[in-house]
Amino acid sequence: MEFVSTRGQDRTPIERALSLGLASDGGLFLPMQWPRLRPDDFEGADTTPRIAERLLQSFFADSIFAADFGALCDQAFTVQTPLKPLRDGQTSILELFHGPSGAFKDVGANFLATMLAHLNRGATRDTTILVATSGDTGSAVATAFYRRPGFRVIILFPDGRVSARQAHLLSCFGDNIQTLRVAGSFDDCQAMAKAALADQTLVQALNMTSANSISLGRLLPQMSYYAEAALRYFRAHGEPLNVVIPSGNLGNALACLIARQIGLPIGRVLISTNANAVLANYVHTGNYQAAPTKATIANAMDVGAPSNIERLIYLAKHDPSILRDLDSVSVPDDAICARIQAFYQTYGEIICPHTATAAEMLAQRRAAGDHAHYAVVATAHPAKFADVVEPLLGLSVPIPECLKPWLARPAQAAQIGVGLDALKAALGP
Ligand SMILES: *Cc1c(COP(=O)(O)O)cnc(C)c1O
């Protein structure tokens, strides 16, 4: 299958789309055709890798991945994403945080790493992956590439603007992972990564690419947990699954909308954001207007210009039905805090500040009389945000097994200033 840029000037096979990240015209890659699948097409597919294989195989047909695609799915889809019913009987929680860095981004990062490693078999030069992170992306990419031969990862994170646990996780790797604390904001980090990736001398010297959330190699696999949860729910109840998804760059929620378009039994899609309300404004007015980023306690969603909105606008232009049964609400910090407390009181479940935006959006729907079944999508383990959650609940959040080995290691990250020159100096000759 071929892939085309949202800006129309770049068409390419999957191999190049995966290794480039961004299209050469500045757009984002999308498949030329979408498969149409019915729940019956997944008969006999009962495990995460098998469901993912059926869902994704058409995108990888005729590629270097095709012959081994089943085995690659076995390697890539190792994270469990259980759909847990809560005690009110009308709400479930889709837990996407059981991967090695405790956030949903592990699924996409591990798939991308698996595919790039397959693509680079026999390569004579190391590939450098440069990633700017507002908190969770960096550790997901780091765990996915940690000690993978042929890869080096450089992480830029804004010093002092991530949670204490996030900072520790980002800085605990060493080996082929180099972490740099930037004395600036996430936007500064992103600008530095962009400048580095636009510097052809540097790109050639380091054989450098990126792994940010616009990569198709992260977007496509994120459909798999929606497919799996929706199929399991449909098989048990004969109804589509409604979901509420916390969103920042719209990678996670867009994957769900696409899975629904492909034919998975997904019903309403509610998308919550933190105080950065760009998406809610777009959904309500049809106009997209980027805004300066506001810092919030759900920091992995602090996005004023969601990168995947370009994909959504492109898809909606070709088929407006992608926007059906869709809503979005912006949730400020005080409502996040109150919802973390209320959710714990109601369900006995501890949720992270990002997940709380979804829980709050659902609570607003319930108050307005919507009693349908919904799955609240839990995007990170609350232990990553202990500094927010613990004072609110007056308890200590147990650290999950997946995070323990990392947090037991010493943290080490060099601090650098803002700008490409500072980054170049840190990268060495
Ligand atoms: C990245 C992240 C989000 C936002 O995901 P997008 O795909 O950027 O919309 C939400 N919650 C957590 C915990 C995250 O790490």
Side-chain angles (χ1 to χ4, degrees):
M1 186 187 286
E2 276 209 310
F3 293 78
V4 63
S5 162
T6 47
R7 301 192 187 168
Q9 302 303 311
D10 194 351
R11 271 171 76 149
T12 183
I14 186 78
E15 292 87 347
R16 183 168 160 274
L18 289 185
S19 48
L20 270 189
L22 200 66
S24 58
D25 60 2
L28 284 68
F29 287 118
L30 281 168
M32 294 285 286
Q33 304 106 37
W34 297 99
R36 289 291 308 170
L37 295 168
R38 287 163 298 123
D40 288 354
D41 293 320
F42 291 86
E43 226 167 76
D46 291 318
T47 63
T48 307
R50 293 291 74 75
I51 291 170
E53 182 183 1
R54 288 218 190 151
L55 178 70
L56 301 177
Q57 60 194 2
S58 69
F59 303 115
F60 295 85
D62 310 319
S63 76
I64 195 173
F65 307 103
D68 303 302
F69 194 62
L72 290 167
C73 286
D74 287 329
Q75 290 169 41
F77 293 98
T78 52
V79 177
Q80 303 292 311
T81 54
L83 181 66
K84 268 183 26 186
L86 297 179
R87 60 191 179 204
D88 66 0
Q90 57 177 2
T91 311
S92 320
I93 186 154
L94 178 56
E95 293 184 347
L96 303 182
F97 53 66
H98 295 286
S101 80
F104 83 89
K105 294 183 174 83
D106 285 322
V107 175
N110 197 37
F111 183 85
L112 179 66
T114 304
M115 294 295 148
L116 289 183
H118 190 75
L119 195 58
N120 286 9
R121 281 167 313 162
T124 50
R125 294 185 64 199
D126 280 6
T127 298
T128 302
I129 311 270
L130 176 64
V131 40
T133 182
S134 63
D136 284 339
T137 300
S139 45
V141 170
T143 54
F145 285 95
Y146 183 56
R147 293 193 169 156
R148 252 184 217 272
F151 291 95
R152 169 186 181 194
V153 174
I154 297 156
I155 300 171
L156 304 176
F157 80 87
D159 198 10
R161 309 208 189 182
V162 304
S163 81
R165 287 251 165 83
Q166 281 178 315
H168 192 133
L169 259 184
L170 286 164
S171 313
C172 75
F173 297 96
D175 220 313
N176 65 329
I177 315 289
Q178 183 180 2
T179 304
L180 301 169
R181 296 184 284 133
V182 176
S185 66
F186 170 60
D187 291 337
D188 293 327
C189 296
Q190 212 163 25
M192 288 162 73
K194 268 200 177 152
L197 288 160
D199 181 328
Q200 282 312 311
T201 315
L202 193 62
V203 166
Q204 296 300 329
L206 295 177
N207 195 24
M208 187 159 66
T209 182
S210 99
N212 58 21
S213 78
I214 54 159
S215 171
L216 257 193
R218 289 182 52 189
L219 180 68
L220 294 177
Q222 287 172 182
M223 287 193 275
S224 68
Y225 41 77
Y226 290 110
E228 180 174 353
L231 285 168
R232 291 198 196 290
Y233 188 80
F234 187 75
R235 285 168 184 167
H237 304 279
E239 285 176 8
L241 182 65
N242 303 308
V243 293
V244 204
I245 309 172
S247 177
N249 269 317
L250 199 61
N252 192 11
L254 182 65
C256 181
L257 292 173
I258 294 173
R260 185 174 71 171
Q261 287 303 88
I262 284 178
L264 273 302
I266 296 165
R268 274 192 286 283
V269 178
L270 308 184
I271 305 178
S272 59
T273 67
N274 58 24
N276 294 278
V278 166
L279 186 74
N281 292 340
Y282 167 71
V283 167
H284 294 142
T285 66
N287 292 318
Y288 169 58
Q289 185 77 59
T293 305
K294 291 181 197 151
T296 77
I297 55 171
N299 64 16
M301 295 168 25
D302 289 351
V303 178
S307 47
N308 278 294
I309 206 153
E310 183 164 336
R311 282 194 172 106
L312 182 60
I313 290 170
Y314 179 94
L315 291 169
K317 206 168 71 192
H318 290 81
D319 183 358
S321 74
I322 195 170
L323 300 176
R324 74 183 184 279
D325 290 334
L326 172 71
D327 199 4
S328 179
V329 158
S330 157
V331 177
D333 277 358
D334 54 348
I336 291 176
C337 293
R339 187 50 52 191
I340 290 172
Q341 293 172 320
F343 205 83
Y344 185 68
Q345 275 156 19
T346 310
Y347 299 113
E349 292 281 336
I350 305 172
I351 52 176
C352 86
H354 311 81
T355 307
T357 64
E360 170 62 17
M361 183 171 182
L362 180 57
Q364 292 176 14
R365 297 282 293 212
R366 296 274 190 242
D370 184 347
H371 297 298
H373 191 99
Y374 278 90
V376 171
V377 175
T379 48
H381 195 286
K384 280 190 106 167
F385 301 92
D387 34 13
V388 174
V389 172
E390 291 184 344
L392 286 169
L393 299 181
L395 47 73
S396 80
V397 185
I399 297 177
E401 292 305 319
C402 57
L403 296 182
K404 274 184 190 162
W406 301 123
L407 293 173
R409 303 162 66 115
Q412 36 158 322
Q415 200 201 45
I416 64 168
V418 172
L420 184 56
D421 289 339
L423 175 57
K424 277 184 176 168
L427 295 180

